[in-house]
Amino acid sequence: MISIRSRQKTQAIYLSSLIILGLATYMQVLNLDFTHWDDDLYVLQNPFIRSLSIRNIAAFFSNTFLGNYAPLHLCTYALDFQIWGLDPKGYHLTNLVFHLFNTVGTFYLVSIITRNKNAAWLTAMLFAIHPVNVETVAWISQRKTLIAQAFFILSFIQYLRFATGHSSRNYYWSLFFFFCSLLSKVSTITLPLLLVLYDVCFQKKQSKASFADIIPFFSLSFIFGLISLYAQFIAYGGELRFHGGSLLSNLCTMIVALRKYVSLIFFPFNLSAYYYFSYQSLFAPPVIFSIAWILIILVLLLIFRKDKTILFWAGWFFITLLPNMQIVPLDAVMGDRYMYLPAVGIFCLMAMALQKFFGKYNFTTVIGKTVLASVFAVCGMLLFLSYNRVGIWKNDLTLWSETIKSSPSPVAYNNLAVYWGREGGFNRSQEFFEKALKIAPDNYQANKNLGSLSMLKKDFYNAEIYYKKALSLKPYMEPLKLEMGSMYIEKKNLTKAREILEEIPAASPNYPEARKRLSQIRPEESTHYP
């Protein structure tokens, strides 16, 4: 009885300390605003979250949104809206609750796999406070990552119970939770590979039956992989966006990104909401350095290949990072949010290394005390860095001003320009749009937004130049065609207005607005005016 009570007390201390650390790091998210970086599209301007009607829920499950198929993600916004309306506090609170859940879930999952609660606590503690996770928690639009990981953890835990002799009911729960995870965000598609790796590393006997159990997981991954490709195809008009413009440059860039991802865990000092870099040649110094670094990692894995724990957690990192390694090119070359799940692998390796060290040198020795003090200092620094980084997400001004300092990019300049445009600072807005075009003359958003800004100034000449450039870059963008149609109506070039508005198909959600604007044109007025 005493032993059971003691274990329960220890468990309560583990869990409460993790929650307290998580709250200390992230409580100020309740003071953050919405950003206009997807939050406006997911929440502020999204009519489908205004009610939990069957029609709206059906729309979540039958449509893609912003290049994603994540219906459960959208359902949580609808629930938030019923409770909070458009108060950002509530949406940030939900994100924080999911992060705390994932922290506790990480503790349970790692303790089951490692059978070492101390290592599991260290892993979960690093997960709770590390700055690389701030973006995922502080950015409302990354709710999908939080939810997907919550279901991922539940699925893995249920599978572990099934694999260790529990009821077959655990297997079906595991499959169900994996399905829910994929309905939240498809990046957890790699779970079946981790299940195979777990069986290889930790199950004493592998059989055809055990691998057959994972086939349904692979089937779900395959189906949702195709759905994700379709969603990307629809969102980007079938455009394949290699970073740097070619398959080789995309490969070179990802080699460097892989090295940077690991560096962010150990040196989280130059984090950015948007990273901007590309390399064209395998012989570029950063690419050569990154290749050498990858080879060293592979050699170390070969040396320690008999240590199944190292093999599994290193495999966890590389496998879960795969969906975000530009195999299917994404807009962002890399992102802190892509590390939310993979980082657990490195955190666990660090925790296991510390556990082994203190198993050899106890806390009473000089070296033990020194290392323990260093661990406390590093954890304090991580918490401090995370706390400060949360404040950067206060609003668009603080976020993009800081991003320009850490990683200047067309996206950062464009978003800061949009902020000043909303605030009425049109001169500052134009200045930042032009800075974006200096970096990347073919940037769609900057050209499109300069067209919109010129329209506000009734500068139809420049508006047409910028709009045409933007349309040449992305001819499938129907919202741009709506703006151009309005421009031609105001310019009295009604023939051109009719021509471009009629390009918007009846199946498009922009069709009703296009018809409305076309109705402003009387047939007899459809004459060309230069």
Side-chain angles (χ1 to χ4, degrees):
M1 181 67 73
I2 295 174
S3 177
I4 292 173
R5 285 180 179 174
S6 176
R7 285 200 300 270
Q8 289 175 340
K9 186 177 179 180
T10 303
Q11 186 94 324
I13 291 171
Y14 279 137
L15 297 180
S16 59
S17 62
L18 289 173
I19 291 170
I20 290 168
L21 284 168
L23 289 173
T25 306
Y26 286 105
M27 270 303 289
Q28 63 169 321
V29 297
L30 301 182
N31 299 321
L32 305 184
D33 297 330
F34 290 107
T35 70
H36 284 73
W37 191 27
D38 290 354
D39 291 354
D40 51 344
L41 300 175
Y42 276 122
V43 179
L44 298 176
Q45 300 168 17
N46 189 350
F48 293 102
I49 71 163
R50 297 301 192 264
S51 78
L52 279 168
S53 65
I54 293 174
R55 181 180 179 182
N56 285 352
I57 293 172
F60 295 152
F61 281 86
S62 59
N63 293 282
T64 62
F65 195 79
L66 296 183
N68 296 290
Y69 179 70
L72 289 186
H73 169 223
L74 295 171
C75 284
T76 65
Y77 293 140
L79 284 168
D80 272 343
F81 186 83
Q82 306 313 304
I83 303 170
W84 313 104
L86 289 177
D87 183 351
K89 264 190 187 66
Y91 295 81
H92 283 296
L93 177 61
T94 304
N95 273 28
L96 175 56
V97 169
F98 270 112
H99 179 62
L100 295 177
F101 179 90
N102 288 336
T103 298
V104 172
T106 297
F107 168 76
Y108 277 112
L109 177 59
V110 175
S111 64
I112 293 170
I113 294 174
T114 63
R115 298 175 184 175
N116 186 325
K117 290 194 184 300
N118 291 330
W121 184 85
L122 282 168
T123 302
M125 182 270 295
L126 288 169
F127 179 83
I129 68 172
H130 199 285
V132 81
N133 285 339
V134 169
E135 177 175 287
T136 306
V137 184
W139 186 10
I140 289 172
S141 294
Q142 276 310 306
R143 173 84 58 81
K144 53 183 173 284
T145 301
L146 295 163
I147 305 169
Q149 187 145 327
F151 283 119
F152 175 97
I153 290 169
L154 290 172
S155 177
F156 210 138
I157 288 173
Q158 291 296 322
Y159 180 83
L160 293 177
R161 288 177 176 171
F162 165 73
T164 51
H166 287 68
S167 166
S168 60
R169 187 180 301 169
N170 298 116
Y171 174 80
Y172 295 110
W173 275 116
S174 177
L175 203 57
F176 171 74
F177 286 135
F178 181 47
F179 179 59
C180 292
S181 181
L182 294 173
L183 286 172
S184 306
K185 189 181 181 183
V186 78
S187 61
T188 56
I189 197 172
T190 54
L191 175 62
L193 292 174
L194 279 185
L195 298 182
V196 171
L197 185 62
Y198 171 82
D199 283 345
V200 169
C201 290
F202 300 119
Q203 295 290 75
K204 292 181 180 179
K205 293 182 180 179
Q206 286 89 47
S207 65
K208 290 182 180 179
S210 64
F211 288 113
D213 290 331
I214 302 175
I215 289 175
F217 290 88
F218 276 111
S219 299
L220 281 175
S221 292
F222 178 74
I223 292 167
F224 275 86
L226 292 178
I227 293 172
S228 178
L229 288 173
Y230 172 76
Q232 292 284 311
F233 181 87
I234 293 297
Y236 300 107
E239 180 184 7
L240 198 59
R241 306 165 309 283
F242 288 121
H243 288 282
S246 70
L247 186 59
L248 175 62
S249 63
N250 197 74
L251 174 64
C252 294
T253 303
M254 284 306 98
I255 288 171
V256 176
L258 179 59
R259 190 250 309 163
K260 285 179 176 285
Y261 274 127
V262 178
S263 298
L264 289 179
I265 297 295
F266 296 97
F267 306 102
F269 300 111
N270 199 33
L271 302 178
S272 177
Y274 195 90
Y275 297 92
Y276 185 73
F277 60 88
S278 66
Y279 298 93
Q280 308 295 320
S281 169
L282 286 168
F283 300 103
V287 179
I288 292 173
F289 176 72
S290 299
I291 291 172
W293 175 87
I294 292 170
L295 290 174
I296 291 170
I297 295 294
L298 290 174
V299 169
L300 288 173
L301 288 176
L302 282 173
I303 292 171
F304 293 103
R305 65 186 181 277
K306 292 184 179 179
D307 189 324
K308 301 300 184 183
T309 299
I310 292 176
L311 186 63
F312 177 78
W313 292 110
W316 174 295
F317 172 77
F318 289 109
I319 288 171
T320 55
L321 193 58
L322 276 175
N324 299 307
M325 285 304 293
Q326 305 296 336
I327 296 170
V328 176
L330 306 170
D331 271 349
V333 64
M334 62 180 288
D336 295 350
R337 58 195 176 277
Y338 300 148
M339 284 290 284
Y340 194 67
L341 178 58
V344 172
I346 296 181
F347 292 153
C348 192
L349 288 173
M350 294 165 70
M352 297 295 285
L354 280 172
Q355 182 78 6
K356 283 190 176 182
F357 175 85
F358 287 117
K360 186 174 181 181
Y361 302 97
N362 63 47
F363 302 118
T364 59
T365 63
V366 174
I367 189 170
K369 289 178 180 178
T370 303
V371 172
L372 185 61
S374 300
V375 169
F376 277 113
V378 168
C379 290
M381 180 196 69
L382 291 175
L383 198 154
F384 175 77
L385 289 172
S386 293
Y387 186 87
N388 282 345
R389 181 133 191 93
V390 170
I392 289 167
W393 284 83
K394 168 63 180 170
N395 54 41
D396 290 301
L397 178 60
T398 56
L399 175 62
W400 297 112
S401 297
E402 181 62 29
T403 302
I404 284 170
K405 293 176 188 175
S406 60
S407 183
S409 68
V411 169
Y413 279 118
N414 181 77
N415 288 347
L416 189 56
V418 169
Y419 166 81
W420 283 113
R422 286 196 310 271
E423 295 296 311
F426 297 134
N427 290 335
R428 297 201 72 177
S429 181
Q430 182 163 346
E431 174 192 343
F432 287 120
F433 281 136
E434 289 172 350
K435 285 183 177 180
L437 287 184
K438 280 184 181 178
I439 298 174
D442 286 344
N443 182 266
Y444 166 79
Q445 284 293 346
N447 278 289
K448 184 260 185 190
N449 288 331
L450 273 169
S452 303
L453 189 60
S454 299
M455 275 289 292
L456 285 173
K457 297 178 177 180
K458 302 298 181 183
D459 180 0
F460 298 124
Y461 176 78
N462 281 311
E464 186 171 15
I465 290 173
Y466 288 122
Y467 278 148
K468 282 184 174 179
K469 176 66 173 177
L471 193 64
S472 71
L473 295 168
K474 294 191 175 182
Y476 52 86
M477 294 300 286
E478 292 162 5
L480 171 60
K481 292 177 181 179
L482 281 175
E483 286 195 33
M484 291 182 74
S486 297
M487 176 197 70
Y488 284 123
I489 290 171
E490 286 199 47
K491 196 180 175 184
K492 304 301 182 185
N493 188 340
L494 303 178
T495 301
K496 193 68 178 176
R498 180 178 293 278
E499 178 185 316
I500 198 160
L501 289 171
E502 286 181 343
E503 289 180 12
I504 298 175
S508 167
N510 298 291
Y511 181 78
E513 185 62 27
R515 295 302 98 184
K516 180 181 175 181
R517 298 186 193 187
L518 277 168
S519 70
Q520 299 172 14
I521 306 171
R522 293 195 299 272
E524 62 271 18
E525 291 181 317
S526 297
T527 333
H528 178 74
Y529 293 91

